[in-house]
């Protein structure tokens, strides 16, 4: 079970470039890669990690751009799982 994300956890997300989604307790980030293959490879690596966490992002891909939204539905907002997945996604993206 996940736990609600505290203010320090939220601050860490914001410092890493994640922004709040208007009207939701969720964060989003846009990743831009060199081409479609790089974007798809990023999504594939993230999907494997998300599956291990049993925590799946809301995301979309258009050519070299991947837009990610993270929130935890069973807690009704941001949780420690969102922070873990965000950190992993940034690491995979090389940020």
């Amino acid at each position: 079970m996940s736990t609600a994300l505290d203010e320090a956890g939220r601050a860490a997300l914001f410092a890493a470039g994640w922004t709040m989604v208007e009207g939701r307790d969720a964060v989003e980030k846009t990743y831009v890669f060199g081409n479609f293959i790089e974007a798809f490879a990023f999504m594939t690596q993230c999907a494997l990690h998300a599956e291990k966490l049993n925590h799946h992002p809301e995301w979309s891909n258009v050519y070299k751009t991947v837009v990610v939204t993270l929130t935890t539905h069973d807690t009704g907002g941001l949780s420690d799982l969102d922070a873990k997945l965000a950190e992993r996604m940034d690491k995979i993206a090389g940020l």
Side-chain angles (χ1 to χ4, degrees):
M1 180 110 197
S2 56
T3 58
L5 194 62
D6 62 17
E7 290 304 314
R10 290 169 184 266
L13 286 174
F14 302 149
W18 291 83
T19 58
M20 290 299 295
V21 175
E22 187 174 337
R24 296 178 66 188
D25 190 22
V27 290
E28 68 181 0
K29 190 170 199 174
T30 300
Y31 296 92
V32 180
F33 298 93
N35 55 47
F36 175 76
I37 297 295
E38 291 175 11
F40 196 82
F42 166 79
M43 293 180 76
T44 301
Q45 291 178 54
C46 291
L48 294 171
H49 188 72
E51 189 64 21
K52 287 179 186 175
L53 286 175
N54 193 30
H55 187 59
H56 306 93
E58 299 171 17
W59 57 6
S60 65
N61 165 241
V62 176
Y63 183 54
K64 64 180 185 173
T65 303
V66 179
V67 179
V68 179
T69 300
L70 298 176
T71 191
T72 304
H73 300 285
D74 66 346
T75 62
L78 291 170
S79 77
D80 59 323
L81 290 175
D82 298 305
K84 288 176 187 175
L85 188 53
E87 182 178 359
R88 177 56 63 140
M89 292 177 120
D90 286 345
K91 185 174 181 179
I92 291 168
L95 302 178

